[in-house]
Amino acid sequence: MTLSLPELSSPIFQRPRRLRQSAGLRRLVRETHLQLDDLIYPLFVMEGENQRVEVPSMPGIYRYSLDLLLEELSTVQELGLSAIALFPLIPDSQKNNQGRESYNPNGLIPRAIRAIKQTFPDLIVITDVALDPYSDQGHDGIVDENGKILNDETVAVLVKQALVQAEAGADLVAPSDMMDGRIGAIRKALDAAEHIQTGILAYSAKYASAYYGPFRDALDSAPKFGDKKTYQMDIANSREAIKEVALDRVEGADIIMVKPALAYLDIIARIKPYTYTPIAAYNVSGEYAMIKAAAQRGWVEEKTIVLETLTSIKRAGADLILTYFAKQVAQLGIKNS
């Protein structure tokens, strides 16, 4: 049967605009709600004291020494944000192919975790588990003499890194490396060390994306050779994302993530029916930088496009969003219901 629109004179003629006539009506029937509790604020920490250095390709985003990071977190918590994700800028002198500094119990990230938890015990601290900030090769894994990224040898180091972070007090460890089997290995090690309450936020569908450039500037972690396509996902694949999510969930992931967010909204929506596990999405540095650059030139209205962007990620099915706009959104007055 072919259905056609009813005539204008029909008593059942629908006028969807009736529910758009006022801000109150639009709020009443709104399907997707963006709240502060949906947002995780990524922050960059570095060695030193009284240091606050802007990332050139990310206007308004800074690398902080630990003392000033704690000051920033006081503001963050006052604004109502409840979760942060920490990423370290590691000095070149502490980098090597094996990423040994990543599991130094007195390293930058463990010290930062302890200081944050002592000062802000209720703040949720999420820590990155990967070798690229600690690698003199700029890769997420150990590199052999032929330039091959070694999977199982890398996983052994990631386990050590996760254990050190859990011991320091991280609420969630977040493996971002895309090595096979690392979620199961980390979960087993955490449980054996009696860190059964430490959660895992798995970068499950992390694509080999061109949107990561500003982040690599922030951490000075760009690959020294080649690319990351042998371990990060092919940008053309979607069914593979379902497989990666399923594997991470079986291995013990508490939250799974899609990264980047905007160019992969279809992936978020496609994964949603396959899992009851919370889904996070990373509104990455390149997405942030493009909006900031366009807004600075007057090409877009920043406040409106930021809220539209984040709402679109939530509408696609993300439960949580890592975004550099988190503080800005809080300052706009977005609250929790």
Side-chain angles (χ1 to χ4, degrees), residues 248-282:
D248 283 357
R249 186 63 192 92
V250 167
E251 291 179 24
D254 299 286
I255 302 171
I256 58 94
M257 183 154 69
V258 175
K259 180 182 179 181
L262 283 182
Y264 300 87
L265 295 178
D266 62 313
I267 304 301
I268 299 169
R270 186 159 189 176
I271 287 170
K272 191 73 171 181
Y274 286 92
T275 180
Y276 292 107
T277 302
I279 297 173
Y282 203 141

PDB file of all heavy atoms in Angstrom, residues 248-282:
ATOM      1  N   ASP A 248      36.487  -6.618  24.117  1.00  0.00           N
ATOM      2  CA  ASP A 248      36.845  -5.853  25.320  1.00  0.00           C
ATOM      3  C   ASP A 248      35.844  -6.087  26.441  1.00  0.00           C
ATOM      4  O   ASP A 248      36.218  -6.188  27.621  1.00  0.00           O
ATOM      5  CB  ASP A 248      36.940  -4.362  25.000  1.00  0.00           C
ATOM      6  CG  ASP A 248      38.219  -3.998  24.271  1.00  0.00           C
ATOM      7  OD1 ASP A 248      39.059  -4.891  24.067  1.00  0.00           O
ATOM      8  OD2 ASP A 248      38.376  -2.817  23.896  1.00  0.00           O
ATOM      9  N   ARG A 249      34.574  -6.199  26.082  1.00  0.00           N
ATOM     10  CA  ARG A 249      33.571  -6.427  27.121  1.00  0.00           C
ATOM     11  C   ARG A 249      33.767  -7.800  27.768  1.00  0.00           C
ATOM     12  O   ARG A 249      33.702  -7.929  28.997  1.00  0.00           O
ATOM     13  CB  ARG A 249      32.165  -6.312  26.505  1.00  0.00           C
ATOM     14  CG  ARG A 249      31.055  -6.392  27.539  1.00  0.00           C
ATOM     15  CD  ARG A 249      31.130  -5.226  28.518  1.00  0.00           C
ATOM     16  NE  ARG A 249      30.250  -5.448  29.676  1.00  0.00           N
ATOM     17  CZ  ARG A 249      30.629  -6.017  30.810  1.00  0.00           C
ATOM     18  NH1 ARG A 249      31.867  -6.466  30.957  1.00  0.00           N
ATOM     19  NH2 ARG A 249      29.789  -6.152  31.814  1.00  0.00           N
ATOM     20  N   VAL A 250      34.009  -8.812  26.952  1.00  0.00           N
ATOM     21  CA  VAL A 250      34.228 -10.161  27.480  1.00  0.00           C
ATOM     22  C   VAL A 250      35.474 -10.194  28.359  1.00  0.00           C
ATOM     23  O   VAL A 250      35.527 -10.904  29.373  1.00  0.00           O
ATOM     24  CB  VAL A 250      34.346 -11.176  26.325  1.00  0.00           C
ATOM     25  CG1 VAL A 250      34.876 -12.512  26.823  1.00  0.00           C
ATOM     26  CG2 VAL A 250      32.995 -11.378  25.656  1.00  0.00           C
ATOM     27  N   GLU A 251      36.486  -9.415  27.987  1.00  0.00           N
ATOM     28  CA  GLU A 251      37.737  -9.412  28.745  1.00  0.00           C
ATOM     29  C   GLU A 251      37.646  -8.610  30.036  1.00  0.00           C
ATOM     30  O   GLU A 251      38.567  -8.657  30.851  1.00  0.00           O
ATOM     31  CB  GLU A 251      38.869  -8.859  27.875  1.00  0.00           C
ATOM     32  CG  GLU A 251      39.257  -9.784  26.731  1.00  0.00           C
ATOM     33  CD  GLU A 251      40.374  -9.216  25.863  1.00  0.00           C
ATOM     34  OE1 GLU A 251      41.155  -8.370  26.359  1.00  0.00           O
ATOM     35  OE2 GLU A 251      40.462  -9.602  24.687  1.00  0.00           O
ATOM     36  N   GLY A 252      36.562  -7.838  30.227  1.00  0.00           N
ATOM     37  CA  GLY A 252      36.395  -7.164  31.506  1.00  0.00           C
ATOM     38  C   GLY A 252      36.283  -5.658  31.477  1.00  0.00           C
ATOM     39  O   GLY A 252      36.357  -5.021  32.538  1.00  0.00           O
ATOM     40  N   ALA A 253      36.082  -5.055  30.311  1.00  0.00           N
ATOM     41  CA  ALA A 253      35.923  -3.604  30.256  1.00  0.00           C
ATOM     42  C   ALA A 253      34.632  -3.187  30.951  1.00  0.00           C
ATOM     43  O   ALA A 253      33.587  -3.801  30.765  1.00  0.00           O
ATOM     44  CB  ALA A 253      35.913  -3.128  28.809  1.00  0.00           C
ATOM     45  N   ASP A 254      34.707  -2.128  31.750  1.00  0.00           N
ATOM     46  CA  ASP A 254      33.527  -1.589  32.435  1.00  0.00           C
ATOM     47  C   ASP A 254      32.833  -0.522  31.603  1.00  0.00           C
ATOM     48  O   ASP A 254      31.627  -0.308  31.719  1.00  0.00           O
ATOM     49  CB  ASP A 254      33.935  -0.999  33.785  1.00  0.00           C
ATOM     50  CG  ASP A 254      34.544  -2.050  34.698  1.00  0.00           C
ATOM     51  OD1 ASP A 254      33.781  -2.877  35.225  1.00  0.00           O
ATOM     52  OD2 ASP A 254      35.776  -2.058  34.842  1.00  0.00           O
ATOM     53  N   ILE A 255      33.609   0.198  30.792  1.00  0.00           N
ATOM     54  CA  ILE A 255      33.106   1.209  29.865  1.00  0.00           C
ATOM     55  C   ILE A 255      33.871   1.008  28.566  1.00  0.00           C
ATOM     56  O   ILE A 255      35.077   0.735  28.583  1.00  0.00           O
ATOM     57  CB  ILE A 255      33.341   2.645  30.395  1.00  0.00           C
ATOM     58  CG1 ILE A 255      32.678   2.832  31.772  1.00  0.00           C
ATOM     59  CG2 ILE A 255      32.838   3.689  29.412  1.00  0.00           C
ATOM     60  CD1 ILE A 255      33.048   4.148  32.452  1.00  0.00           C
ATOM     61  N   ILE A 256      33.181   1.137  27.447  1.00  0.00           N
ATOM     62  CA  ILE A 256      33.889   1.056  26.154  1.00  0.00           C
ATOM     63  C   ILE A 256      33.829   2.436  25.475  1.00  0.00           C
ATOM     64  O   ILE A 256      32.950   3.254  25.782  1.00  0.00           O
ATOM     65  CB  ILE A 256      33.312  -0.058  25.259  1.00  0.00           C
ATOM     66  CG1 ILE A 256      31.822   0.139  24.980  1.00  0.00           C
ATOM     67  CG2 ILE A 256      33.529  -1.408  25.914  1.00  0.00           C
ATOM     68  CD1 ILE A 256      31.526   0.867  23.714  1.00  0.00           C
ATOM     69  N   MET A 257      34.778   2.680  24.573  1.00  0.00           N
ATOM     70  CA  MET A 257      34.844   4.005  23.970  1.00  0.00           C
ATOM     71  C   MET A 257      35.078   3.936  22.467  1.00  0.00           C
ATOM     72  O   MET A 257      35.778   3.064  21.962  1.00  0.00           O
ATOM     73  CB  MET A 257      35.950   4.844  24.612  1.00  0.00           C
ATOM     74  CG  MET A 257      36.015   6.271  24.059  1.00  0.00           C
ATOM     75  SD  MET A 257      36.727   7.449  25.211  1.00  0.00           S
ATOM     76  CE  MET A 257      38.435   6.910  25.240  1.00  0.00           C
ATOM     77  N   VAL A 258      34.482   4.921  21.792  1.00  0.00           N
ATOM     78  CA  VAL A 258      34.721   5.167  20.375  1.00  0.00           C
ATOM     79  C   VAL A 258      35.533   6.452  20.262  1.00  0.00           C
ATOM     80  O   VAL A 258      35.207   7.459  20.892  1.00  0.00           O
ATOM     81  CB  VAL A 258      33.401   5.314  19.595  1.00  0.00           C
ATOM     82  CG1 VAL A 258      33.674   5.690  18.138  1.00  0.00           C
ATOM     83  CG2 VAL A 258      32.584   4.027  19.678  1.00  0.00           C
ATOM     84  N   LYS A 259      36.590   6.410  19.455  1.00  0.00           N
ATOM     85  CA  LYS A 259      37.448   7.581  19.272  1.00  0.00           C
ATOM     86  C   LYS A 259      37.965   7.609  17.838  1.00  0.00           C
ATOM     87  O   LYS A 259      38.476   6.589  17.359  1.00  0.00           O
ATOM     88  CB  LYS A 259      38.637   7.507  20.247  1.00  0.00           C
ATOM     89  CG  LYS A 259      39.602   8.683  20.155  1.00  0.00           C
ATOM     90  CD  LYS A 259      40.781   8.510  21.104  1.00  0.00           C
ATOM     91  CE  LYS A 259      41.734   9.695  20.973  1.00  0.00           C
ATOM     92  NZ  LYS A 259      42.912   9.559  21.852  1.00  0.00           N
ATOM     93  N   PRO A 260      37.817   8.771  17.156  1.00  0.00           N
ATOM     94  CA  PRO A 260      37.175  10.035  17.514  1.00  0.00           C
ATOM     95  C   PRO A 260      35.649   9.905  17.559  1.00  0.00           C
ATOM     96  O   PRO A 260      35.099   8.846  17.294  1.00  0.00           O
ATOM     97  CB  PRO A 260      37.596  10.983  16.390  1.00  0.00           C
ATOM     98  CG  PRO A 260      38.749  10.339  15.712  1.00  0.00           C
ATOM     99  CD  PRO A 260      38.510   8.864  15.856  1.00  0.00           C
ATOM    100  N   ALA A 261      34.994  11.043  17.851  1.00  0.00           N
ATOM    101  CA  ALA A 261      33.544  11.021  17.983  1.00  0.00           C
ATOM    102  C   ALA A 261      32.834  11.476  16.708  1.00  0.00           C
ATOM    103  O   ALA A 261      32.035  10.736  16.138  1.00  0.00           O
ATOM    104  CB  ALA A 261      33.116  11.898  19.162  1.00  0.00           C
ATOM    105  N   LEU A 262      33.108  12.681  16.231  1.00  0.00           N
ATOM    106  CA  LEU A 262      32.254  13.295  15.218  1.00  0.00           C
ATOM    107  C   LEU A 262      32.237  12.556  13.890  1.00  0.00           C
ATOM    108  O   LEU A 262      31.174  12.385  13.284  1.00  0.00           O
ATOM    109  CB  LEU A 262      32.673  14.752  14.987  1.00  0.00           C
ATOM    110  CG  LEU A 262      32.214  15.732  16.058  1.00  0.00           C
ATOM    111  CD1 LEU A 262      32.656  17.140  15.698  1.00  0.00           C
ATOM    112  CD2 LEU A 262      30.709  15.674  16.234  1.00  0.00           C
ATOM    113  N   ALA A 263      33.381  12.132  13.412  1.00  0.00           N
ATOM    114  CA  ALA A 263      33.416  11.411  12.134  1.00  0.00           C
ATOM    115  C   ALA A 263      32.983   9.961  12.297  1.00  0.00           C
ATOM    116  O   ALA A 263      32.899   9.227  11.299  1.00  0.00           O
ATOM    117  CB  ALA A 263      34.820  11.472  11.528  1.00  0.00           C
ATOM    118  N   TYR A 264      32.658   9.552  13.533  1.00  0.00           N
ATOM    119  CA  TYR A 264      32.316   8.161  13.816  1.00  0.00           C
ATOM    120  C   TYR A 264      31.016   8.052  14.620  1.00  0.00           C
ATOM    121  O   TYR A 264      30.806   7.098  15.363  1.00  0.00           O
ATOM    122  CB  TYR A 264      33.488   7.482  14.553  1.00  0.00           C
ATOM    123  CG  TYR A 264      34.731   7.510  13.707  1.00  0.00           C
ATOM    124  CD1 TYR A 264      35.588   8.603  13.741  1.00  0.00           C
ATOM    125  CD2 TYR A 264      35.009   6.489  12.823  1.00  0.00           C
ATOM    126  CE1 TYR A 264      36.711   8.659  12.919  1.00  0.00           C
ATOM    127  CE2 TYR A 264      36.135   6.530  11.997  1.00  0.00           C
ATOM    128  CZ  TYR A 264      36.976   7.624  12.054  1.00  0.00           C
ATOM    129  OH  TYR A 264      38.068   7.674  11.231  1.00  0.00           O
ATOM    130  N   LEU A 265      30.117   9.020  14.426  1.00  0.00           N
ATOM    131  CA  LEU A 265      28.815   8.958  15.075  1.00  0.00           C
ATOM    132  C   LEU A 265      28.058   7.700  14.659  1.00  0.00           C
ATOM    133  O   LEU A 265      27.304   7.120  15.449  1.00  0.00           O
ATOM    134  CB  LEU A 265      27.983  10.201  14.748  1.00  0.00           C
ATOM    135  CG  LEU A 265      28.505  11.548  15.270  1.00  0.00           C
ATOM    136  CD1 LEU A 265      27.591  12.675  14.815  1.00  0.00           C
ATOM    137  CD2 LEU A 265      28.636  11.549  16.779  1.00  0.00           C
ATOM    138  N   ASP A 266      28.258   7.277  13.409  1.00  0.00           N
ATOM    139  CA  ASP A 266      27.600   6.055  12.947  1.00  0.00           C
ATOM    140  C   ASP A 266      28.087   4.836  13.722  1.00  0.00           C
ATOM    141  O   ASP A 266      27.321   3.896  13.967  1.00  0.00           O
ATOM    142  CB  ASP A 266      27.817   5.852  11.450  1.00  0.00           C
ATOM    143  CG  ASP A 266      29.293   5.684  11.087  1.00  0.00           C
ATOM    144  OD1 ASP A 266      30.123   6.483  11.577  1.00  0.00           O
ATOM    145  OD2 ASP A 266      29.618   4.762  10.313  1.00  0.00           O
ATOM    146  N   ILE A 267      29.359   4.859  14.126  1.00  0.00           N
ATOM    147  CA  ILE A 267      29.911   3.731  14.894  1.00  0.00           C
ATOM    148  C   ILE A 267      29.275   3.684  16.282  1.00  0.00           C
ATOM    149  O   ILE A 267      28.901   2.615  16.782  1.00  0.00           O
ATOM    150  CB  ILE A 267      31.440   3.852  15.007  1.00  0.00           C
ATOM    151  CG1 ILE A 267      32.083   3.951  13.614  1.00  0.00           C
ATOM    152  CG2 ILE A 267      32.017   2.678  15.784  1.00  0.00           C
ATOM    153  CD1 ILE A 267      31.792   2.766  12.703  1.00  0.00           C
ATOM    154  N   ILE A 268      29.135   4.851  16.911  1.00  0.00           N
ATOM    155  CA  ILE A 268      28.484   4.905  18.225  1.00  0.00           C
ATOM    156  C   ILE A 268      27.071   4.345  18.117  1.00  0.00           C
ATOM    157  O   ILE A 268      26.651   3.499  18.923  1.00  0.00           O
ATOM    158  CB  ILE A 268      28.447   6.357  18.749  1.00  0.00           C
ATOM    159  CG1 ILE A 268      29.864   6.924  18.912  1.00  0.00           C
ATOM    160  CG2 ILE A 268      27.694   6.422  20.082  1.00  0.00           C
ATOM    161  CD1 ILE A 268      29.902   8.418  19.171  1.00  0.00           C
ATOM    162  N   ALA A 269      26.334   4.808  17.109  1.00  0.00           N
ATOM    163  CA  ALA A 269      24.953   4.355  16.943  1.00  0.00           C
ATOM    164  C   ALA A 269      24.889   2.865  16.618  1.00  0.00           C
ATOM    165  O   ALA A 269      23.976   2.162  17.064  1.00  0.00           O
ATOM    166  CB  ALA A 269      24.279   5.163  15.835  1.00  0.00           C
ATOM    167  N   ARG A 270      25.857   2.375  15.864  1.00  0.00           N
ATOM    168  CA  ARG A 270      25.837   0.963  15.485  1.00  0.00           C
ATOM    169  C   ARG A 270      26.181   0.056  16.672  1.00  0.00           C
ATOM    170  O   ARG A 270      25.651  -1.046  16.803  1.00  0.00           O
ATOM    171  CB  ARG A 270      26.817   0.724  14.341  1.00  0.00           C
ATOM    172  CG  ARG A 270      26.756  -0.691  13.797  1.00  0.00           C
ATOM    173  CD  ARG A 270      27.319  -0.801  12.418  1.00  0.00           C
ATOM    174  NE  ARG A 270      27.039  -2.139  11.878  1.00  0.00           N
ATOM    175  CZ  ARG A 270      27.338  -2.519  10.653  1.00  0.00           C
ATOM    176  NH1 ARG A 270      27.905  -1.673   9.815  1.00  0.00           N
ATOM    177  NH2 ARG A 270      27.061  -3.738  10.251  1.00  0.00           N
ATOM    178  N   ILE A 271      27.059   0.515  17.539  1.00  0.00           N
ATOM    179  CA  ILE A 271      27.454  -0.279  18.711  1.00  0.00           C
ATOM    180  C   ILE A 271      26.343  -0.334  19.753  1.00  0.00           C
ATOM    181  O   ILE A 271      26.158  -1.338  20.434  1.00  0.00           O
ATOM    182  CB  ILE A 271      28.739   0.326  19.333  1.00  0.00           C
ATOM    183  CG1 ILE A 271      29.945   0.016  18.456  1.00  0.00           C
ATOM    184  CG2 ILE A 271      28.968  -0.196  20.746  1.00  0.00           C
ATOM    185  CD1 ILE A 271      31.185   0.768  18.877  1.00  0.00           C
ATOM    186  N   LYS A 272      25.570   0.727  19.872  1.00  0.00           N
ATOM    187  CA  LYS A 272      24.605   0.881  20.958  1.00  0.00           C
ATOM    188  C   LYS A 272      23.713  -0.346  21.167  1.00  0.00           C
ATOM    189  O   LYS A 272      23.545  -0.795  22.312  1.00  0.00           O
ATOM    190  CB  LYS A 272      23.750   2.129  20.704  1.00  0.00           C
ATOM    191  CG  LYS A 272      22.880   2.549  21.879  1.00  0.00           C
ATOM    192  CD  LYS A 272      23.710   3.164  22.991  1.00  0.00           C
ATOM    193  CE  LYS A 272      22.822   3.786  24.057  1.00  0.00           C
ATOM    194  NZ  LYS A 272      23.614   4.405  25.137  1.00  0.00           N
ATOM    195  N   PRO A 273      23.134  -0.930  20.111  1.00  0.00           N
ATOM    196  CA  PRO A 273      22.237  -2.081  20.351  1.00  0.00           C
ATOM    197  C   PRO A 273      22.951  -3.354  20.792  1.00  0.00           C
ATOM    198  O   PRO A 273      22.299  -4.307  21.216  1.00  0.00           O
ATOM    199  CB  PRO A 273      21.570  -2.299  18.974  1.00  0.00           C
ATOM    200  CG  PRO A 273      21.821  -1.060  18.193  1.00  0.00           C
ATOM    201  CD  PRO A 273      23.120  -0.531  18.694  1.00  0.00           C
ATOM    202  N   TYR A 274      24.280  -3.381  20.689  1.00  0.00           N
ATOM    203  CA  TYR A 274      25.021  -4.610  20.956  1.00  0.00           C
ATOM    204  C   TYR A 274      25.541  -4.712  22.383  1.00  0.00           C
ATOM    205  O   TYR A 274      26.117  -5.723  22.752  1.00  0.00           O
ATOM    206  CB  TYR A 274      26.191  -4.742  19.974  1.00  0.00           C
ATOM    207  CG  TYR A 274      25.757  -5.109  18.583  1.00  0.00           C
ATOM    208  CD1 TYR A 274      25.492  -4.130  17.637  1.00  0.00           C
ATOM    209  CD2 TYR A 274      25.601  -6.446  18.203  1.00  0.00           C
ATOM    210  CE1 TYR A 274      25.078  -4.461  16.351  1.00  0.00           C
ATOM    211  CE2 TYR A 274      25.185  -6.776  16.920  1.00  0.00           C
ATOM    212  CZ  TYR A 274      24.928  -5.781  16.007  1.00  0.00           C
ATOM    213  OH  TYR A 274      24.513  -6.108  14.741  1.00  0.00           O
ATOM    214  N   THR A 275      25.382  -3.659  23.182  1.00  0.00           N
ATOM    215  CA  THR A 275      25.963  -3.716  24.516  1.00  0.00           C
ATOM    216  C   THR A 275      25.164  -2.883  25.505  1.00  0.00           C
ATOM    217  O   THR A 275      24.632  -1.817  25.158  1.00  0.00           O
ATOM    218  CB  THR A 275      27.426  -3.228  24.517  1.00  0.00           C
ATOM    219  OG1 THR A 275      27.950  -3.307  25.843  1.00  0.00           O
ATOM    220  CG2 THR A 275      27.554  -1.790  24.023  1.00  0.00           C
ATOM    221  N   TYR A 276      25.066  -3.399  26.730  1.00  0.00           N
ATOM    222  CA  TYR A 276      24.504  -2.625  27.832  1.00  0.00           C
ATOM    223  C   TYR A 276      25.607  -1.885  28.597  1.00  0.00           C
ATOM    224  O   TYR A 276      25.326  -1.129  29.530  1.00  0.00           O
ATOM    225  CB  TYR A 276      23.740  -3.537  28.788  1.00  0.00           C
ATOM    226  CG  TYR A 276      22.484  -4.120  28.183  1.00  0.00           C
ATOM    227  CD1 TYR A 276      22.421  -5.452  27.817  1.00  0.00           C
ATOM    228  CD2 TYR A 276      21.370  -3.320  27.964  1.00  0.00           C
ATOM    229  CE1 TYR A 276      21.264  -5.990  27.256  1.00  0.00           C
ATOM    230  CE2 TYR A 276      20.211  -3.843  27.401  1.00  0.00           C
ATOM    231  CZ  TYR A 276      20.161  -5.177  27.044  1.00  0.00           C
ATOM    232  OH  TYR A 276      19.029  -5.701  26.483  1.00  0.00           O
ATOM    233  N   THR A 277      26.848  -2.114  28.221  1.00  0.00           N
ATOM    234  CA  THR A 277      27.977  -1.431  28.842  1.00  0.00           C
ATOM    235  C   THR A 277      27.938   0.050  28.469  1.00  0.00           C
ATOM    236  O   THR A 277      27.658   0.389  27.319  1.00  0.00           O
ATOM    237  CB  THR A 277      29.296  -2.050  28.356  1.00  0.00           C
ATOM    238  OG1 THR A 277      29.295  -3.441  28.664  1.00  0.00           O
ATOM    239  CG2 THR A 277      30.500  -1.387  29.017  1.00  0.00           C
ATOM    240  N   PRO A 278      28.203   0.950  29.408  1.00  0.00           N
ATOM    241  CA  PRO A 278      28.222   2.375  29.068  1.00  0.00           C
ATOM    242  C   PRO A 278      29.190   2.663  27.917  1.00  0.00           C
ATOM    243  O   PRO A 278      30.275   2.085  27.842  1.00  0.00           O
ATOM    244  CB  PRO A 278      28.689   3.048  30.362  1.00  0.00           C
ATOM    245  CG  PRO A 278      28.277   2.092  31.442  1.00  0.00           C
ATOM    246  CD  PRO A 278      28.443   0.730  30.852  1.00  0.00           C
ATOM    247  N   ILE A 279      28.780   3.574  27.038  1.00  0.00           N
ATOM    248  CA  ILE A 279      29.584   3.940  25.874  1.00  0.00           C
ATOM    249  C   ILE A 279      30.096   5.363  26.067  1.00  0.00           C
ATOM    250  O   ILE A 279      29.318   6.298  26.296  1.00  0.00           O
ATOM    251  CB  ILE A 279      28.762   3.858  24.576  1.00  0.00           C
ATOM    252  CG1 ILE A 279      28.298   2.414  24.322  1.00  0.00           C
ATOM    253  CG2 ILE A 279      29.569   4.380  23.392  1.00  0.00           C
ATOM    254  CD1 ILE A 279      27.343   2.273  23.152  1.00  0.00           C
ATOM    255  N   ALA A 280      31.405   5.510  25.954  1.00  0.00           N
ATOM    256  CA  ALA A 280      32.025   6.834  25.953  1.00  0.00           C
ATOM    257  C   ALA A 280      32.461   7.173  24.532  1.00  0.00           C
ATOM    258  O   ALA A 280      32.690   6.283  23.708  1.00  0.00           O
ATOM    259  CB  ALA A 280      33.235   6.859  26.886  1.00  0.00           C
ATOM    260  N   ALA A 281      32.558   8.452  24.253  1.00  0.00           N
ATOM    261  CA  ALA A 281      33.078   8.920  22.971  1.00  0.00           C
ATOM    262  C   ALA A 281      34.051  10.057  23.248  1.00  0.00           C
ATOM    263  O   ALA A 281      33.824  10.861  24.156  1.00  0.00           O
ATOM    264  CB  ALA A 281      31.955   9.395  22.052  1.00  0.00           C
ATOM    265  N   TYR A 282      35.120  10.110  22.480  1.00  0.00           N
ATOM    266  CA  TYR A 282      36.153  11.137  22.683  1.00  0.00           C
ATOM    267  C   TYR A 282      36.030  12.200  21.588  1.00  0.00           C
ATOM    268  O   TYR A 282      36.283  11.944  20.423  1.00  0.00           O
ATOM    269  CB  TYR A 282      37.544  10.486  22.631  1.00  0.00           C
ATOM    270  CG  TYR A 282      38.636  11.267  23.350  1.00  0.00           C
ATOM    271  CD1 TYR A 282      39.615  10.603  24.084  1.00  0.00           C
ATOM    272  CD2 TYR A 282      38.704  12.659  23.286  1.00  0.00           C
ATOM    273  CE1 TYR A 282      40.625  11.295  24.747  1.00  0.00           C
ATOM    274  CE2 TYR A 282      39.702  13.356  23.941  1.00  0.00           C
ATOM    275  CZ  TYR A 282      40.669  12.669  24.668  1.00  0.00           C
ATOM    276  OH  TYR A 282      41.660  13.359  25.311  1.00  0.00           O
TER     277      TYR A 282
END
